[in-house]
Amino acid sequence: MGRVFKERTSVNEALQLFLESFSSLRHTEELPLEACTGRVLAEPVISGRDVPHYRRAAMDGYAVRASDTSGASPANPVFLQLSDEVEEGTSIWVHTGAALPEGADAVVMVEDTFTSGDMVEIRSQVYPGKNVGQIGEDIKKEDPVFEEGHLLRPCDAAVLASLGLDRVKVFRKPVVAVIPTGDELVSRDRAGDVPPPGMVLETNGLMASLYVEKWGGIPRYTRIVPDRPESIKEAIQANLDADMILLSGGTSVGKRDHAPGVVESMGRLLVHGVGVSPGKPVALGVIDEIPVVCLPGYPVAGLVALYFFVRPGIRKLGSVPQLPETILRKRLTAKISSKIGYVNFIRVIFEGDRVRPLTGAKSGALSSVAKADGYVLVPEHIEGYEEGQEVDVFLVE
Amino acid sequence: MGRVFKERTSVNEALQLFLESFSSLRHTEELPLEACTGRVLAEPVISGRDVPHYRRAAMDGYAVRASDTSGASPANPVFLQLSDEVEEGTSIWVHTGAALPEGADAVVMVEDTFTSGDMVEIRSQVYPGKNVGQIGEDIKKEDPVFEEGHLLRPCDAAVLASLGLDRVKVFRKPVVAVIPTGDELVSRDRAGDVPPPGMVLETNGLMASLYVEKWGGIPRYTRIVPDRPESIKEAIQANLDADMILLSGGTSVGKRDHAPGVVESMGRLLVHGVGVSPGKPVALGVIDEIPVVCLPGYPVAGLVALYFFVRPGIRKLGSVPQLPETILRKRLTAKISSKIGYVNFIRVIFEGDRVRPLTGAKSGALSSVAKADGYVLVPEHIEGYEEGQEVDVFLVE
């Protein structure tokens, strides 16, 4: 008999154990606003200025003393003298955004006026403050503007710029070492040649690196490591300066599956064997407070482990807030059968208003993911879904 | 009377006129797979290889001739000789992914075997092909793998890598010139000083540039241009090598609003005045087949114009497929009143399960967007929504 998984941890429990085993990074860096999109604020932002910093006209029109317009209407207009300053009986043209002249307390919009020579006919009564943007109306000095942990969007960069800031302190991106393991792997440097039988090009590490980057980490994609415990151990040791370590391959229970054992020997193995299909061989651990994920070598299983554990792991390390995910409600074109006791990851293709499950797809066939637009997760306790049933569909990102 | 908008085009009509006025770019570039995420394939990909390219064991176990296992069961096992080759009565250990030895046609999984000395006890009957991955089972040589226009995800990069590719041809990103206009604007080089009354820091161009980048364009953020038709014309001429031009500011109907007139004088003005609030002053045009968007200077109105016109414009230029948007169904904590004849862009904040509309927010107050998690669009013909009503909420991105 071969070795078997000692236990099988549910997805939720495994994720909780994993996320509890390490802390968010507190290292920060300062970036120019031009580079802050998608980054997370590492300190609250308090405004150092009033915005606007002067009383401004909110419309094109004539700056007036509101009291001078008392009773004005189209049938009964008030006439004011055009002048260089606003005092009783005089007015000055102002455009939107211009500073309101001293003495004025309102703006009559141009549509309610008529000019003739050096006189302006005011056809509408205004109250003090009408069409005037007051100092600090948008943001007051000392106002809290953003909290620590805010995920910066382009519109936020513009707000920060309007406060006179040109740099902003954000959390550093986590560095994630991606270590492909396996005697059968051939480096992509030799992608031009078909490898000999039994050998395959390294592609899982490439995939993991690109997801790490997409999710806000900095991938460190290392050389291929052979299936020997000492080699894996050395590779881990060489990357203990990273914030997270991903080992790809060698995580099942076969003779050549050394990754979980090495993690156990160097730190704590939290989980080996998760109730997700594909993806069961995932192992999760922590070495020197650095989270370690052992990704199954079967590409779809590896992808599931990336989605289920690496994505939330990077979010926690980088303090990236969880945004609502795009979830579509779609009807199935065909029945899905699912393995009880496992969350089943079912790839689906959009077909008109519906989704077609790729039910025959094997976990070794990454092409099934490439064909897929999304996926459906069937919970542990459910045997599957019927044709025509409405299900939640997540996008393959 | 000031000038008024000659017409008001509905959002949908304006967008259609705009998108019909220019073509998608056909320029391509080749990128390494490491840099292809988020890019759009400029040609179909046909596989040049079989994946897998050899018959492989799908499980750890013993390679056999299936006919040798006839009738095997735990109670009635078959004994095979361990050997260097598989022929009648012999077997070889194989691990998952290994090449199936010549002569073998199936694999008995290790769990169904027991070894003793140089003999292996087979406790399960297998049929030919059992636990064997056939050549081309995942992808066959000459199979179409991706269509032109496919948006590349990290998992797709891995599939391309498994085909032996290391580069991929994608559409070039559109270059978008972002030209801030306005006599009142102060360059952010002088962000440290509070500008004099009537002057403000340039922030709309920064915001537009960061959105352009986020949506897959390459921003070219130019110097500030004064409110003079000749200066605006010169700035446009200097950027006619771009794929799209954004003019920020000067797009309303005031005395200093020259942008739409300049566009009209240099090419075709398609739309000036759109039924969206805020955002009414948007102007759309085309000069030498280059799309031009005049963004209102009021920041929220400018943001709306970016979302409604620039985002789909960049997508069309870059052939970026439209992915399903994240839309949340949420109940309102308060009533929304809306202007008939306009699509109303209402900023909202998440509050528990509900959303609170920021109803008092002015279109000059970008801080209201920074506070907002999402927005609700009230269609032209609707006067508003009631408290407690369920509405579609889009995320502020």
Side-chain angles (χ1 to χ4, degrees):
Chain A
M1 283 291 286
R3 288 183 288 161
V4 292
F5 291 97
K6 287 180 203 134
E7 48 174 342
R8 190 180 70 226
T9 314
S10 76
V11 168
N12 288 339
E13 199 191 334
L15 182 60
Q16 198 185 333
L17 282 167
F18 181 57
L19 293 180
E20 283 172 1
S21 74
F22 62 91
S23 308
S24 300
L25 303 176
R26 299 300 306 176
H27 313 279
T28 63
E29 60 184 330
E30 277 206 357
L31 290 180
L33 294 184
E34 285 75 6
C36 75
T37 299
R39 302 301 295 269
V40 179
L41 268 180
E43 60 183 11
V45 174
I46 308 292
S47 176
R49 294 189 185 176
D50 287 309
V51 179
H53 59 283
Y54 60 93
R55 285 196 310 159
R56 68 183 171 195
M59 297 289 255
D60 285 352
Y62 289 90
V64 297
R65 289 163 40 131
S67 55
D68 281 357
T69 68
S70 180
S73 71
N76 191 21
V78 165
F79 293 86
L80 299 177
Q81 177 85 39
L82 288 173
S83 170
D84 290 339
E85 48 187 349
V86 177
E87 48 192 10
E88 192 173 341
T90 69
S91 177
I92 298 180
W93 164 260
V94 284
H95 54 77
T96 306
L100 199 69
E102 198 71 27
D105 62 2
V107 173
V108 181
M109 59 195 274
V110 65
E111 289 84 347
D112 293 332
T113 65
F114 183 82
T115 47
S116 167
D118 62 351
M119 296 299 285
V120 58
E121 188 180 321
I122 303 293
R123 297 172 171 177
S124 172
Q125 176 175 344
V126 290
Y127 53 83
K130 180 71 178 177
N131 298 324
V132 174
Q134 301 297 343
I135 292 174
E137 182 181 78
D138 188 0
I139 303 170
K140 283 191 184 49
K141 194 171 167 175
E142 308 297 341
D143 268 358
V145 180
F146 294 112
E147 294 179 2
E148 179 191 309
H150 181 73
L151 183 66
L152 293 166
R153 304 161 298 185
C155 54
D156 300 330
V159 171
L160 293 169
S162 72
L163 303 178
L165 299 173
D166 60 353
R167 301 179 73 75
V168 71
K169 192 184 277 187
V170 297
F171 289 115
R172 192 165 65 65
K173 290 183 173 191
V175 173
V176 180
V178 178
I179 307 175
T181 74
D183 293 339
E184 77 284 11
L185 297 180
V186 177
S187 161
R188 291 184 48 248
D189 302 344
R190 279 171 282 159
D193 308 318
V194 177
M199 301 295 282
V200 293
L201 289 167
E202 202 299 301
T203 60
N204 287 348
L206 170 70
M207 175 169 78
S209 299
L210 293 176
Y211 277 117
V212 164
E213 197 172 3
K214 180 165 196 180
W215 295 330
I218 299 174
R220 182 196 294 166
Y221 181 20
T222 76
R223 280 186 310 163
I224 295 164
V225 172
D227 282 321
R228 293 189 310 133
E230 317 82 70
S231 307
I232 296 170
K233 191 170 173 180
E234 276 165 31
I236 291 175
Q237 266 161 346
N239 285 287
L240 286 176
D241 59 334
D243 302 306
M244 182 186 259
I245 295 176
L246 308 183
L247 292 163
S248 173
T251 187
S252 192
V253 290
K255 293 180 183 173
R256 304 198 312 168
D257 291 310
H258 305 299
V262 172
V263 172
E264 191 158 34
S265 76
M266 296 177 73
R268 261 189 318 139
L269 186 66
L270 302 164
V271 167
H272 186 203
V274 176
V276 58
S277 177
K280 183 178 168 187
V282 174
L284 305 167
V286 61
I287 300 173
D288 288 359
E289 298 177 53
I290 296 163
V292 182
V293 181
C294 302
L295 303 166
Y298 266 159
V300 186
L303 181 80
V304 169
L306 287 166
Y307 279 7
F308 280 40
F309 301 105
V310 177
R311 184 170 47 181
I314 291 177
R315 277 204 195 112
K316 172 157 184 186
L317 283 173
S319 300
V320 183
Q322 164 84 62
L323 291 180
E325 242 186 308
T326 305
I327 301 174
L328 308 168
R329 292 289 291 173
K330 299 269 187 189
R331 289 186 190 284
L332 291 166
T333 65
K335 175 184 164 71
I336 292 176
S337 295
S338 178
K339 202 154 135 191
I340 284 278
Y342 291 81
V343 173
N344 276 246
F345 175 92
I346 308 287
R347 290 137 271 174
V348 299
I349 293 183
F350 293 148
E351 276 191 358
D353 277 354
R354 300 192 160 206
V355 290
R356 178 161 61 84
L358 292 164
T359 41
K362 297 189 182 172
S363 68
L366 190 60
S367 65
S368 66
V369 176
K371 280 192 202 107
D373 298 302
Y375 57 93
V376 171
L377 297 176
V378 188
E380 289 97 331
H381 60 283
I382 288 183
E383 282 188 317
Y385 292 124
E386 295 305 314
E387 178 190 330
Q389 198 168 339
E390 207 177 56
V391 293
D392 281 345
V393 179
F394 300 84
L395 296 180
V396 171
E397 62 168 316
Chain B
M1 285 290 287
R3 287 185 289 162
V4 293
F5 291 98
K6 287 181 204 133
E7 49 175 342
R8 190 180 70 226
T9 313
S10 77
V11 168
N12 288 339
E13 198 191 335
L15 182 59
Q16 197 185 335
L17 281 169
F18 181 58
L19 294 180
E20 283 173 2
S21 74
F22 62 91
S23 308
S24 299
L25 303 176
R26 300 300 306 174
H27 313 279
T28 63
E29 59 184 331
E30 277 205 358
L31 289 180
L33 293 183
E34 285 75 5
C36 76
T37 300
R39 302 300 297 268
V40 179
L41 269 181
E43 60 184 11
V45 173
I46 307 292
S47 176
R49 293 187 184 177
D50 287 309
V51 179
H53 58 282
Y54 60 93
R55 285 194 311 159
R56 68 183 171 194
M59 297 290 255
D60 283 353
Y62 289 90
V64 297
R65 289 164 39 132
S67 54
D68 282 357
T69 68
S70 181
S73 71
N76 191 22
V78 166
F79 293 86
L80 299 176
Q81 176 86 40
L82 288 173
S83 170
D84 291 339
E85 49 187 348
V86 177
E87 49 191 9
E88 192 171 344
T90 70
S91 177
I92 298 180
W93 164 260
V94 285
H95 55 77
T96 306
L100 199 69
E102 197 71 28
D105 62 3
V107 174
V108 181
M109 59 195 275
V110 65
E111 288 84 346
D112 293 332
T113 65
F114 182 82
T115 49
S116 168
D118 63 351
M119 297 299 286
V120 57
E121 188 181 321
I122 302 293
R123 296 171 171 177
S124 171
Q125 176 175 343
V126 290
Y127 52 83
K130 179 72 179 175
N131 298 324
V132 175
Q134 301 296 343
I135 292 174
E137 183 181 76
D138 188 0
I139 302 171
K140 282 189 184 51
K141 194 171 169 176
E142 308 296 342
D143 268 358
V145 180
F146 293 112
E147 294 179 2
E148 180 191 308
H150 181 73
L151 183 66
L152 293 166
R153 303 162 298 186
C155 54
D156 300 330
V159 171
L160 293 169
S162 72
L163 303 178
L165 299 173
D166 60 354
R167 301 179 74 75
V168 71
K169 192 183 277 188
V170 298
F171 288 115
R172 191 165 66 66
K173 289 183 174 191
V175 173
V176 180
V178 178
I179 307 175
T181 74
D183 293 339
E184 77 285 10
L185 297 180
V186 176
S187 162
R188 291 184 48 249
D189 301 346
R190 279 171 282 160
D193 308 317
V194 177
M199 302 295 282
V200 294
L201 289 166
E202 201 301 301
T203 60
N204 287 348
L206 171 70
M207 175 170 79
S209 299
L210 293 176
Y211 277 117
V212 164
E213 196 171 4
K214 180 164 196 180
W215 294 330
I218 299 173
R220 182 197 293 167
Y221 182 18
T222 76
R223 281 187 308 164
I224 295 164
V225 172
D227 281 322
R228 293 190 308 133
E230 318 79 71
S231 307
I232 296 170
K233 191 172 174 179
E234 275 166 30
I236 292 175
Q237 267 161 345
N239 286 287
L240 287 176
D241 59 332
D243 301 307
M244 182 186 260
I245 294 176
L246 308 183
L247 292 164
S248 173
T251 186
S252 191
V253 291
K255 293 181 182 172
R256 304 198 311 168
D257 291 311
H258 304 300
V262 171
V263 173
E264 191 158 33
S265 77
M266 294 177 75
R268 260 189 318 140
L269 186 66
L270 302 164
V271 168
H272 186 204
V274 176
V276 58
S277 176
K280 182 179 169 187
V282 174
L284 304 167
V286 61
I287 300 174
D288 288 0
E289 297 179 53
I290 297 164
V292 181
V293 180
C294 302
L295 304 166
Y298 265 159
V300 185
L303 181 80
V304 169
L306 286 166
Y307 281 8
F308 280 43
F309 300 106
V310 176
R311 183 170 49 182
I314 291 176
R315 278 204 193 112
K316 173 158 185 186
L317 283 174
S319 300
V320 182
Q322 163 84 62
L323 291 180
E325 242 185 307
T326 305
I327 301 174
L328 309 168
R329 292 289 293 173
K330 298 269 187 190
R331 288 187 192 284
L332 291 167
T333 64
K335 175 185 165 70
I336 293 177
S337 296
S338 177
K339 200 154 133 191
I340 284 278
Y342 291 81
V343 173
N344 276 246
F345 176 91
I346 309 287
R347 289 137 271 174
V348 299
I349 293 183
F350 294 148
E351 274 191 1
D353 277 356
R354 300 192 160 205
V355 290
R356 177 162 61 85
L358 292 164
T359 41
K362 298 189 182 172
S363 68
L366 190 60
S367 66
S368 65
V369 176
K371 279 193 204 106
D373 298 303
Y375 57 93
V376 171
L377 297 176
V378 187
E380 288 98 330
H381 59 282
I382 288 183
E383 282 189 318
Y385 293 125
E386 294 306 314
E387 179 191 330
Q389 197 169 340
E390 207 177 56
V391 294
D392 282 346
V393 179
F394 300 84
L395 298 180
V396 170
E397 62 168 314

